[in-house]
Amino acid sequence: ARTGQTLPHFPVKLKGRVQSQPLIMKTAQQTEEKGMSVVIHSQDGHIYVIDGVSGCFDKIDIGEPSYDMVLSDDLTGNGRMDLLVTTKSGNIYCLGTSVIFHPLNKWLSPNQNRNSYTSLHHRGIYMSE
């Protein structure tokens, strides 16, 4: 990557067009490992979770396309990250994950007053008692 060459396992070819911004986050399998995942909603009605190290992906069939970025936060208050998905037909989905919530890892809007294609992981200050 330092040379500008394409990373191994990329580009990843998806079935549908992608018109939304990607969400970059750690998944449950990556909590102790290096690497991040790309979460993106495609026009084929699927949400793709692409492992940044292997290029392998899982897909979730929502059945509806979207132009909007998938957002993440602990919406349900259970200590786990949730994915907020909106669709072109006006539906809003909240998808639960097994990823442990941390305030520095939430992504509340496509533009967070910085380069919106980078992760907030390990940025900022977090204080607790």
Side-chain angles (χ1 to χ4, degrees), residues 68-124:
D68 296 323
M69 178 181 186
V70 176
L71 302 177
S72 64
D73 197 352
D74 181 11
L75 298 172
T76 56
N78 66 354
R80 305 286 179 188
M81 293 297 283
D82 299 307
L83 301 178
L84 183 67
V85 179
T86 59
T87 67
K88 290 189 333 186
S89 62
N91 290 319
I92 300 173
Y93 296 93
C94 179
L95 307 174
T97 73
S98 59
V99 178
I100 296 172
F101 172 77
H102 190 284
L104 295 179
N105 292 338
K106 61 186 176 181
W107 201 267
L108 303 176
S109 72
N111 184 349
Q112 301 208 31
N113 299 323
R114 60 180 64 131
N115 177 350
S116 60
Y117 294 102
T118 60
S119 171
L120 291 177
H121 192 66
H122 301 301
R123 292 186 184 200

Side-chain angles (χ1 to χ4, degrees), residues 18-23 39-41 67-70 109-111 116-117:
V18 174
Q19 294 181 296
S20 63
Q21 296 173 328
L23 169 69
V39 180
I40 193 132
H41 197 162
Y67 293 116
D68 296 323
M69 178 181 186
V70 176
S109 72
N111 184 349
S116 60
Y117 294 102

Side-chain angles (χ1 to χ4, degrees), residues 20-73:
S20 63
Q21 296 173 328
L23 169 69
I24 311 294
M25 68 179 286
K26 283 202 173 277
T27 60
Q29 295 84 4
Q30 296 168 324
T31 53
E32 298 299 323
E33 301 173 13
K34 292 184 179 181
M36 305 284 277
S37 287
V38 178
V39 180
I40 193 132
H41 197 162
S42 176
Q43 293 299 301
D44 65 1
H46 292 97
I47 294 173
Y48 292 89
V49 181
I50 306 164
D51 185 275
V53 176
S54 70
C56 295
F57 63 85
D58 292 312
K59 65 182 179 179
I60 304 164
D61 186 2
I62 297 294
E64 301 179 65
S66 176
Y67 293 116
D68 296 323
M69 178 181 186
V70 176
L71 302 177
S72 64
D73 197 352

